[in-house]
Amino acid sequence: MKKPKWVIEKEQARKASGAETVWLFGLHAVRDALSNPQREKLRLIVTLNAQDKLADAIAEAGITPEVVDARRFSAPIDPGSVHQGAALEVKPLAWGSLEEVCIGREAPRVILLDRVTDPHNVGAILRSAEVLGASAVIGTRHHSAPETGALAKTASGALERQPYLRVRNLAETIEDLQRMGFYVLGLDGEAEETIEQAMEGRRGDPVALVLGAEGPGLREKTKETVDKLVKIDAAGGFGSLNVSNAAAIALYASQSH
């Protein structure tokens, strides 16, 4: 029996994602990846100077680096990247399922991103999420920033420790979280209630915060699916926050403190 087209496409996508690799660059991002036992490391390219600075992490990872001349740095990364003489080819991290990552903590907090595609914004959000104790940051497989060297560098090591899941459908994931007992709040500048008002009497609950890209904000389907639309209480009646700053403030405002 001939396989249906959708089955073949699904198998091809799975194979492609299994073959996918990422080039991380910069001393901090490379050091954290080398020290992460969960990270599958394939190839390390360093200058002599970077090798000296990363000597302990290289030894810990048990990887043999390719040492190159600083003027002929051959890693396949953007020529404008600030690589500091170190680049590491890795497989993307497998964090497991939504349930594995989001259940288990007392009053967990989760951030969902609706079409946030800028790797620098996502990297900064991962960093805030790690500092403020979020269980996961969740984006979509399409229209969200994948794991890249630029994202890892902005995340400043958080990519190795902060779960970053990418799901097929954001609205379905919101519904899954609601079934798991999460109170899902969508950030919208036009909302009537502030986060603090919406959190009254709910601070001990699991909470998911949904943020949209700057400009377009949340999609209509996302707005219809969340439990409530909320805004960040602002001093003035004008201006807006960068999405990574908004994520940090929203996460802090939702905490159970």
Side-chain angles (χ1 to χ4, degrees):
M1 182 181 162
K2 195 177 175 185
K3 286 182 185 176
K5 189 181 176 188
W6 68 270
V7 172
I8 294 167
E9 285 173 354
K10 204 169 180 182
E11 286 174 353
Q12 286 172 340
R14 197 180 297 120
K15 277 181 192 167
S17 68
E20 228 173 66
T21 68
V22 181
W23 278 95
L24 305 179
F25 57 82
L27 292 171
H28 199 149
V30 168
R31 178 187 295 281
D32 282 318
L34 286 170
S35 301
N36 182 0
Q38 305 305 317
R39 182 66 91 169
E40 191 178 338
K41 309 156 199 61
L42 305 173
R43 187 180 172 201
L44 175 63
I45 299 175
V46 288
T47 60
L48 205 54
N49 186 33
Q51 183 185 34
D52 290 344
K53 289 178 178 174
L54 294 169
D56 54 339
I58 291 169
E60 185 186 353
I63 191 169
T64 304
E66 299 169 35
V67 184
V68 298
D69 189 298
R71 291 162 298 184
R72 295 185 183 82
F73 196 75
S74 55
I77 58 176
D78 189 308
S81 303
V82 184
H83 54 71
Q84 299 171 294
L88 176 67
E89 186 183 16
V90 296
K91 286 284 188 81
L93 286 164
W95 286 105
S97 69
L98 194 69
E99 291 78 8
E100 287 168 326
V101 170
C102 297
I103 290 180
R105 281 194 194 189
E106 192 181 332
R109 297 294 182 262
V110 172
I111 293 175
L112 294 101
L113 303 176
D114 189 1
R115 298 181 301 175
V116 179
T117 56
D118 185 334
H120 299 96
N121 275 333
V122 176
I125 288 167
L126 286 167
R127 198 170 177 180
S128 297
E130 183 189 19
V131 170
L132 294 167
S135 296
V137 174
I138 301 168
T140 49
R141 283 181 205 156
H142 302 292
H143 310 299
S144 75
E147 274 191 45
T148 61
L151 187 152
K153 198 164 194 303
T154 311
S156 194
L159 182 62
E160 302 303 318
R161 301 179 291 271
Q162 176 62 46
Y164 179 41
L165 308 185
R166 294 175 70 214
V167 296
R168 191 180 64 81
N169 185 293
L170 196 70
E172 286 176 8
T173 301
I174 290 169
E175 288 168 350
D176 288 341
L177 286 167
Q178 287 165 331
R179 279 191 286 273
M180 287 156 59
F182 275 78
Y183 180 39
V184 185
L185 302 176
L187 272 284
D188 185 345
E190 304 297 312
E192 297 293 317
E193 271 187 77
T194 65
I195 296 172
E196 288 84 357
Q197 288 167 338
M199 287 302 302
E200 280 179 26
R202 306 291 300 257
R203 291 198 176 273
D205 295 353
V207 175
L209 300 159
V210 193
L211 294 98
E214 287 164 63
L218 299 176
R219 284 174 291 181
E220 282 307 313
K221 178 68 174 169
T222 307
K223 289 182 183 181
E224 290 163 12
T225 313
V226 300
D227 292 313
K228 193 171 278 190
L229 292 172
V230 294
K231 63 183 177 183
I232 290 170
D233 198 10
F238 56 89
S240 61
L241 288 165
N242 167 285
V243 66
S244 60
N245 292 334
I249 291 168
L251 195 51
Y252 184 78
S254 77
Q255 299 286 36
S256 53
H257 50 67

